[in-house]
Amino acid sequence: PTLTLDALYPVLFRLWEDRLLVSPDDVDASPVESTFMPGEVVAGTYTVIRNVQALIDTEVHVASARDGQFVALKVARSGDGGIMSRLEHEAAVLRRLGAAPVARLIALTTHGDRAVLVTEWINGLDVGAQARNLRRAASDGDDQARHELLAVCHALADAVGAVHSLGLVHGDLSPHNALVDTAGTVLLVDFGLARD
């Protein structure tokens, strides 16, 4: 046990130093809550339907615009300039990507002192969930599911290739940042870490 603890100490110390490991009664141990409730209007235009994700620096909501279109709102949790810069960067990347297979930029706006990135809402599953569903069906002998799984893999490769052909790297490609819509199209999201 002593050797194991000695070997783990540098890792544990780094986690504690980076505040990823905190005591249970620490304020950072409490869950991150959404700052908008369903029905609230953001940036004077978008009505929140539900929270999708709440992180320390941003939160994502599905909302409806005045014209009834569903949108995704990526909202800075504070007026911090660094977060505003990242959302401005992401908006610039989405403008540059234009017609590539990505969630289309609708607006970059503000709500009070907080930045709000508005993109089209992609109704579907992330590629990881879609792949799990198709693998399960394929293992039960469903040949169509096998073909659909291969099509999703090709569509993901094509989407990444389209971004690369425009001189950009996603920077945070993961199953959660690639969505398969109801038509089977793969679209990439979350370009906050994209770079040339």
Side-chain angles (χ1 to χ4, degrees):
T2 301
L3 291 175
T4 302
L5 185 58
D6 287 345
L8 286 175
Y9 181 77
V11 173
L12 292 174
F13 182 77
R14 185 166 173 203
L15 292 173
W16 172 79
E17 191 174 54
D18 292 342
R19 307 249 338 122
L20 294 173
L21 184 64
V22 295
S23 69
D25 58 339
D26 191 291
V27 68
D28 288 338
S30 59
V32 178
E33 301 284 334
S34 171
T35 58
F36 295 116
M37 299 302 294
E40 283 190 66
V41 177
V42 176
T45 305
Y46 307 101
T47 304
V48 172
I49 296 171
R50 69 179 169 86
N51 176 263
V52 176
Q53 181 180 54
L55 301 172
I56 292 172
D57 57 349
T58 59
E59 53 192 67
V60 178
H61 303 272
V62 61
S64 63
R66 286 188 181 146
D67 64 3
Q69 175 186 10
F70 292 114
V71 297
L73 305 177
K74 188 174 192 178
V75 184
R77 291 181 61 84
S78 71
D80 177 274
I83 298 168
M84 176 67 139
S85 294
R86 287 198 324 262
L87 291 179
E88 287 172 349
H89 168 75
E90 187 167 356
V93 166
L94 290 174
R95 282 186 204 99
R96 183 172 162 186
L97 289 171
V102 301
R104 185 177 51 84
L105 175 68
I106 294 172
L108 177 64
T109 186
T110 58
H111 182 85
D113 66 343
R114 298 163 62 184
V116 180
L117 180 75
V118 185
T119 64
E120 69 177 320
W121 174 255
I122 308 300
N123 189 24
L125 294 174
D126 72 54
V127 293
Q130 182 75 345
R132 279 190 301 279
N133 292 342
L134 291 171
R135 266 192 239 104
R136 194 174 307 117
S139 70
D140 291 338
D142 184 343
D143 284 340
Q144 180 63 32
R146 244 178 2 114
H147 292 293
E148 287 178 31
L149 179 58
L150 185 58
V152 167
C153 292
H154 281 223
L156 177 59
D158 288 344
V160 172
V163 170
H164 289 182
S165 72
L166 293 168
L168 288 165
V169 176
H170 186 281
D172 189 20
L173 193 58
S174 73
H176 298 295
N177 290 336
L179 304 176
V180 182
D181 71 11
T182 53
T185 304
V186 173
L187 299 154
L188 303 178
V189 298
D190 195 0
F191 283 85
L193 297 177
R195 62 187 186 281
D196 289 329

